[in-house]
Amino acid sequence: MIQLHLYKCKEVFFIKCAFIGHRDSVGLEGQIYAEIEKLMKIVITAFYSGGMGNFDKMCEKAVKALGGHLTFVPYNVKQVKAKDTRWFDDILCPFGDKAYGKYDIPNRSRWLVNHCDVFLCHVYKSGGARHTLNYAVQKNKQIIHIAP
């Protein structure tokens, strides 16, 4: 069961969900759609994406199809493209426009964990997604696993 952590913003309470998965994930659209639909039924409508690969893209498409609010959190402002301003409802650059550094992606992933409440995950191997999932578990975040 999802525990609700409500944040007050402009007199509106909302719960934030982000995605943790591998860029080579495929064939999960049905499961992702069903999970996001469930989340939206319990009032989660704010979704955050790092926009890095197939898993994020599958989640983004489900959020858009279901009418959720989708925020792009790039690892670096230079990652933002013109098409992103049309696809995402918001773009949030927590690290400003500094020059790219090798820790930008892990720092952005930690930022997402620190600022979101629920995580939709598909992690099946080592790598950045596994590190991010481990950090979310360490921070006692709510995790929903999508099985292959």
Side-chain angles (χ1 to χ4, degrees):
M1 183 64 180
I2 300 293
Q3 294 178 9
L4 303 180
H5 300 282
L6 300 177
Y7 294 90
K8 190 173 183 180
C9 178
K10 296 182 183 178
E11 302 303 317
V12 176
F13 292 94
F14 63 97
I15 302 164
K16 296 177 275 189
C17 176
F19 318 123
I20 302 172
H22 300 289
R23 60 182 64 188
D24 60 354
S25 298
V26 293
L28 303 169
E29 292 88 352
Q31 292 171 277
I32 289 169
Y33 187 94
E35 288 299 332
I36 290 175
E37 189 172 42
K38 284 183 209 173
L39 290 170
M40 291 180 76
K41 284 181 181 175
I42 61 167
V43 199
I44 297 176
T45 57
F47 295 87
Y48 286 58
S49 177
M52 289 293 291
N54 286 347
F55 185 73
D56 285 352
K57 294 300 176 209
M58 287 185 282
C59 292
E60 291 166 11
K61 287 177 184 175
V63 169
K64 296 294 270 185
L66 290 163
H69 189 88
L70 187 57
T71 299
F72 179 35
V73 184
Y75 60 83
N76 186 285
V77 73
K78 292 175 179 76
Q79 184 191 9
V80 179
K81 307 292 184 238
K83 66 180 179 163
D84 297 327
T85 61
R86 293 185 299 274
W87 177 247
F88 294 97
D89 299 305
D90 285 309
I91 297 175
L92 176 62
C93 298
F95 305 112
D97 62 354
K98 68 176 186 60
Y100 176 78
K102 74 177 195 176
Y103 297 109
D104 285 358
I105 295 170
N107 286 342
R108 185 275 316 276
S109 297
R110 281 191 295 278
W111 186 94
L112 283 167
V113 170
N114 291 331
H115 290 86
C116 292
D117 309 292
V118 178
F119 293 86
L120 191 59
C121 302
H122 180 247
V123 177
Y124 57 90
K125 61 183 179 178
S126 62
R130 171 73 62 197
H131 291 295
T132 303
L133 175 58
N134 291 343
Y135 185 64
V137 168
Q138 176 189 350
K139 292 290 191 175
N140 295 314
K141 299 295 182 164
Q142 298 294 314
I143 309 292
I144 300 167
H145 295 277
I146 301 287

